[in-house]
Amino acid sequence: MVLERQYWKVMMSRFWSPVVHSLTPYVAGEQPVIEGLVKLNTNENPYGPSPHALAAIGQAVNDTLRLYPEPTGLKLRRAIAASHDLDPGEVFVGNGSDEVLAHTFQALLKHELPLLYPDISYSFYPTYCRLYGIEFREIPLDERMRVRIEDYRQPCGAIILTNPNAPTGTALPLTAIETLISEHPDQVVVIDEAYVDFGGESAIPLVRKYPNLLVVQTFSKSRGLSGLRVGFAVGQRPLVDALERVKDSFNSYPLDRLSQAGAVAAWEDRDWFEKHCELIIASRERLTAALGELGFEVLPSSANFVFARHSIRSGAELAAELRKRAILVRHFRKERIQDFLRITIGTDAECDRLLDALREILA
Ligand SMILES: Cc1ncc(COP(=O)(O)O)c(C=O)c1O
């Protein structure tokens, strides 16, 4: 039986390029279709995108779809640049921040010395390292599950931090980020700010001062557009040029016409964005307090999710029990965090359903 399985494995993979054998693909959160599902597992926004974005996408559905889109997302880059008093040449856009990050790893993070990032962080980072053959060293979070920038004072090729961190939700203040950047003037420092709009401090204001800083953000979380796939990076010209070179060696048109139209409209609707970020922050504080009453330790979160562990019940068991009740949360089978659940902040009604289910499970 074992021999037969091995035979089929060899037969199935005999056409693969050598690198494919060494890959450990990232496992994305589930997207199942279950009736009445409360989906709190992939940090999507429960309120969805701005109605202006939906209208702009609708208007873009016309005969111009026969033409290729503008290849650099210029209108969107102009809008993002204008908000930060930057030049459009200092903004790069891509098909979700995952694609922007992938180009960043290939273009800027492969050096003789290892890339540093926290041991508990976005689990796509080691996947990119394996894909591009990048040496890396994972730096342990401290005992309170926080990034300690002193631990990054060591020889390295580059650094990437998620701030606020994922899946912990904890944030470093901008002063700490600036110290890190200034202590590594000869290395690129990437700050992945997927969750920054829910209470973190963005490092974008530092871009003009530091040629080694690249900040990456996404439209998937605070702008409710996970399904449109739009992300961007902000940095000085030489860093953005490197990303453009990789992009134009891979896919010249990463953002289609609908994505560009929708993202520009979403970016310009500041009121919708601010109002719904505030709602999510308020629900997060409410959920944090309620989970505390149920015996959970909840890490201080500046994101649209909380990371929590129960004093007695295991993370795997709780996730499985919630699933039986059509409530999805994220559980990682990884040392140090296997007792935690990462719970996306839904509407208050969704949070209440989660809390009711937990009360039932814990009773
Ligand atoms: C820390 C972090 N960075 C980047 C991403 C990628 O987001 P997207 O590709 O949807 O822009 C995610 C997605 O969950 C994330 O958690």
Side-chain angles (χ1 to χ4, degrees):
M1 190 67 183
V2 175
L3 270 179
E4 198 181 317
R5 219 176 298 137
Q6 273 174 354
Y7 170 79
W8 278 113
K9 221 172 144 192
V10 171
M11 287 305 283
M12 303 273 285
S13 58
R14 69 195 195 284
F15 300 121
W16 293 5
S17 301
V19 66
V20 179
H21 294 274
S22 68
L23 299 181
T24 316
Y26 172 74
V27 182
E30 287 178 90
Q31 299 289 347
V33 181
I34 300 175
E35 205 172 298
L37 179 70
V38 174
K39 193 172 175 308
L40 306 176
N41 67 328
T42 46
N43 300 339
E44 289 137 334
N45 187 320
Y47 300 106
S50 149
H52 294 301
L54 296 179
I57 293 166
Q59 278 163 20
V61 179
N62 59 45
D63 174 61
T64 60
L65 285 175
R66 73 193 172 77
L67 301 171
Y68 283 105
E70 199 285 319
T72 70
L74 184 58
K75 211 167 160 203
L76 179 58
R77 286 165 48 231
R78 279 200 184 122
I80 295 169
S83 313
H84 296 292
D85 208 10
L86 292 168
D87 188 87
E90 292 165 317
V91 180
F92 174 84
V93 295
N95 186 250
S97 61
D98 277 341
E99 186 187 77
V100 175
L101 286 167
H103 290 343
T104 301
F105 273 69
Q106 192 174 26
L108 299 167
L109 305 184
K110 183 170 179 168
H111 300 281
E112 232 162 78
L113 289 170
L115 168 70
L116 307 183
Y117 58 78
D119 63 340
I120 311 293
S121 190
Y122 187 31
S123 41
F124 226 133
Y125 300 160
T127 297
Y128 294 133
C129 287
R130 290 191 190 98
L131 176 62
Y132 296 122
I134 300 170
E135 290 294 321
F136 62 96
R137 185 177 303 144
E138 297 187 340
I139 310 296
L141 297 183
D142 71 9
E143 66 291 342
R144 290 162 62 217
M145 307 288 270
R146 288 176 175 265
V147 173
R148 234 188 349 220
I149 56 150
E150 305 86 277
D151 298 340
Y152 291 76
R153 284 184 195 133
Q154 54 176 290
C156 63
I159 297 172
I160 181 162
L161 289 185
T162 312
N163 193 44
N165 196 13
T168 58
T170 59
L172 281 174
L174 190 57
T175 45
I177 295 289
E178 181 160 13
T179 304
L180 181 80
I181 301 162
S182 61
E183 284 178 353
H184 293 89
D186 298 321
Q187 284 80 31
V188 172
V189 176
V190 178
I191 309 297
D192 176 353
E193 295 186 346
Y195 302 102
V196 75
D197 298 320
F198 303 104
E201 283 181 278
S202 177
I204 290 181
L206 301 179
V207 158
R208 269 282 149 84
K209 195 167 163 194
Y210 294 99
N212 59 329
L213 169 64
L214 189 81
V215 180
V216 179
Q217 291 193 4
T218 177
F219 280 68
S220 296
K221 315 294 178 182
S222 52
R223 289 185 170 77
L225 280 169
S226 302
L228 204 64
R229 311 305 300 128
V230 183
F232 65 94
V234 177
Q236 290 191 13
R237 226 21 214 266
L239 301 189
V240 171
D241 282 351
L243 298 179
E244 292 284 351
R245 286 173 73 96
V246 169
K247 167 208 160 245
D248 286 325
S249 308
F250 176 78
N251 176 7
S252 303
Y253 306 102
L255 288 194
D256 59 56
R257 285 174 173 269
L258 309 189
S259 307
Q260 295 192 32
V264 170
W267 187 262
E268 285 172 350
D269 192 351
R270 250 304 339 137
D271 288 349
W272 176 275
F273 160 77
E274 279 169 11
K275 180 175 159 204
H276 293 94
C277 286
E278 276 164 26
L279 279 178
I280 289 169
I281 292 169
S283 301
R284 179 183 74 210
E285 300 316 308
R286 189 173 159 267
L287 180 66
T288 301
L291 287 172
E293 281 166 20
L294 288 177
F296 282 88
E297 174 200 356
V298 187
L299 298 189
S301 173
S302 301
N304 68 338
F305 56 85
V306 291
F307 205 47
R309 70 176 151 194
H310 193 258
S311 49
I312 303 167
R313 304 288 284 271
S314 85
E317 184 194 354
L318 289 176
E321 285 297 326
L322 286 169
R323 200 176 200 294
K324 283 187 203 157
R325 292 162 176 81
I327 299 173
L328 284 191
V329 298
R330 191 89 197 253
H331 174 252
F332 299 89
R333 287 181 197 282
K334 181 174 171 157
E335 224 183 303
R336 279 193 92 186
I337 58 168
Q338 63 217 11
D339 282 334
F340 282 87
L341 298 177
R342 194 196 67 191
I343 306 169
T344 303
I345 308 302
T347 59
D348 278 342
E350 288 173 320
C351 293
D352 285 343
R353 256 193 71 192
L354 169 85
L355 290 165
D356 287 344
L358 284 172
R359 278 185 203 108
E360 189 185 296
I361 295 163
L362 296 168

